[in-house]
Amino acid sequence: MKIGFIGAGKVGCSLGKYLNNHGSEVTGYYDNYETAAKEAADFTNSRHYKELLPVVKESDALFLTVPDGIISVVWEQIKSMPIEGHIICHCSGALTAQEAFSGISGTGAYGCSVHPLFAVSDKYHSFLELSTAYFTMEGDFYALDQMMDLFRSLGNGVQSIDSSKKRLYHAAAAICSNQVTALANQSIEMLCECGFTPETARKVLKPIMCGNLAHVAEAGPVESLTGPVERCDVGTLRKHVECLPEEEDQILYVLLSKKLIKIAEKKNPDRDYEPVQNLCEKILQRNYEMMSKRSL
């Protein structure tokens, strides 16, 4: 299978390098910015294309590794080209193949979304970690079968999902990745208020963050849960909320605590968590009332 890329950003470069390193034939790259296409081609020992049509003609499969909002635009550009029998893929976590590739069934091509469940943060180094990533896929049966076989052959875990669940899937990925980053940033800022430098704050938080995530991944959330919610320590929870000056921070802390109550009840079914639940409801009501009054 000859694989071409339209879009030479972080995902395109990382995926192309990963495929090339594992024996797949990468034909090359086209990008609106020719310099980006040339850099990606040099990086992956492939060719850079100055026009769309040649990369389409010379590839059996095309990855449209462009921003989500541009995928359909690029598709409209190539759908009238000779793509019959081609596999057309995108790497969006939120879009389905059907949403991205309108009318693909009439072209004789096969559409598929191939999403690495991995944060591709660096254009030239993330490929080194892609061997650990799961790839989640949905789309046309033929394209799905071919792509799943390809990534299985590389040693990756693969998972197919129903197209109707694509947004739920991507929201799950964003919560455990992007939103965890927001929580980590808040912890760092709070430690800086305590006198830590940002560098020291990251250093001291690393063992507890990485250790806890490793435990969750290994044993699951129930067995990994510790802390004041799990202990039903209402006094400590109240003190935590009181030290947070912003109402939105208090609300966030309490809403997350309410999620932890459900986990704690599974871990300790004989423990009464009603005091924690009551405290959370009281704090939420107070903050919502204060925010409502200010908006009037």
Side-chain angles (χ1 to χ4, degrees):
M1 185 188 297
K2 298 178 181 179
I3 302 171
F5 286 86
I6 300 173
K10 290 186 293 186
V11 173
C13 278
S14 299
L15 190 54
K17 184 69 170 179
Y18 178 64
L19 290 170
N20 179 268
N21 280 5
H22 287 77
S24 295
E25 184 174 354
V26 175
T27 52
Y29 289 81
Y30 171 82
D31 194 283
N32 282 338
Y33 299 96
E34 187 179 345
T35 300
K38 187 177 186 307
E39 290 175 352
D42 290 343
F43 182 57
T44 58
N45 298 312
S46 62
R47 176 183 171 187
H48 86 276
Y49 294 87
K50 296 182 179 181
E51 297 178 352
L52 262 176
L53 184 58
V55 70
V56 171
K57 284 185 173 180
E58 295 175 18
S59 303
D60 304 309
L62 288 166
F63 276 84
L64 278 54
T65 47
V66 295
D68 284 20
I70 309 298
I71 294 172
S72 293
V73 175
V74 176
W75 165 243
E76 290 300 320
Q77 291 177 298
I78 68 171
K79 68 187 297 185
S80 60
M81 294 181 181
I83 58 173
E84 184 175 358
H86 284 46
I87 296 173
I88 314 295
C89 303
H90 68 72
C91 295
S92 167
L95 286 174
T96 66
Q98 184 176 12
E99 289 171 330
F101 307 136
S102 174
I104 192 170
S105 60
T107 68
Y110 308 95
C112 185
S113 67
V114 179
H115 183 250
L117 196 52
F118 176 80
V120 179
S121 58
D122 184 275
K123 192 172 184 178
Y124 297 115
H125 296 93
S126 289
F127 76 94
L128 294 168
E129 302 175 79
L130 277 177
S131 61
T132 66
Y134 262 75
F135 283 79
T136 304
M137 308 179 189
E138 60 79 37
D140 177 87
F141 178 79
Y142 173 74
L144 192 62
D145 187 57
Q146 294 294 309
M147 285 296 122
M148 291 183 76
D149 281 350
L150 171 62
F151 283 93
R152 281 198 189 104
S153 73
L154 303 181
N156 292 98
V158 295
Q159 176 70 46
S160 64
I161 62 170
D162 189 274
S163 300
S164 66
K165 300 297 182 182
K166 190 69 185 288
R167 294 177 185 178
L168 180 64
Y169 154 79
H170 194 243
I175 287 171
C176 78
S177 178
N178 312 139
Q179 295 194 7
V180 167
T181 300
L183 293 174
N185 183 69
Q186 184 170 4
S187 291
I188 290 169
E189 291 178 345
M190 291 166 70
L191 286 185
C192 287
E193 288 188 35
C194 299
F196 291 78
T197 65
E199 294 76 16
T200 304
R202 294 198 301 269
K203 182 178 180 179
V204 300
L205 287 173
K206 182 178 177 179
I208 190 171
M209 286 193 299
C210 294
N212 189 58
L213 287 174
H215 291 156
V216 171
E218 183 69 26
V222 174
E223 293 302 318
S224 304
L225 183 62
T226 62
V229 171
E230 190 269 334
R231 299 193 303 270
C232 201
D233 187 349
V234 175
T236 296
L237 290 169
R238 185 180 289 110
K239 291 175 183 177
H240 285 177
V241 173
E242 289 171 353
C243 78
L244 298 172
E246 299 293 333
E247 289 164 358
E248 64 178 19
D249 290 336
Q250 293 189 11
I251 291 171
L252 176 62
Y253 185 94
V254 170
L255 289 175
L256 290 172
S257 294
K258 284 171 64 67
K259 293 290 185 182
L260 292 178
I261 291 172
K262 296 179 180 180
I263 302 172
E265 288 174 335
K266 294 178 181 178
K267 184 174 184 178
N268 306 301
D270 297 328
R271 187 171 295 173
D272 181 14
Y273 285 96
E274 187 174 357
V276 179
Q277 185 71 45
N278 290 340
L279 175 67
C280 289
E281 295 298 339
K282 182 178 179 180
I283 294 170
L284 284 176
Q285 183 177 359
R286 182 187 68 202
N287 278 282
Y288 287 146
E289 287 177 352
M290 291 175 65
M291 292 173 70
S292 178
K293 288 177 181 179
R294 277 208 306 272
S295 67
L296 295 175

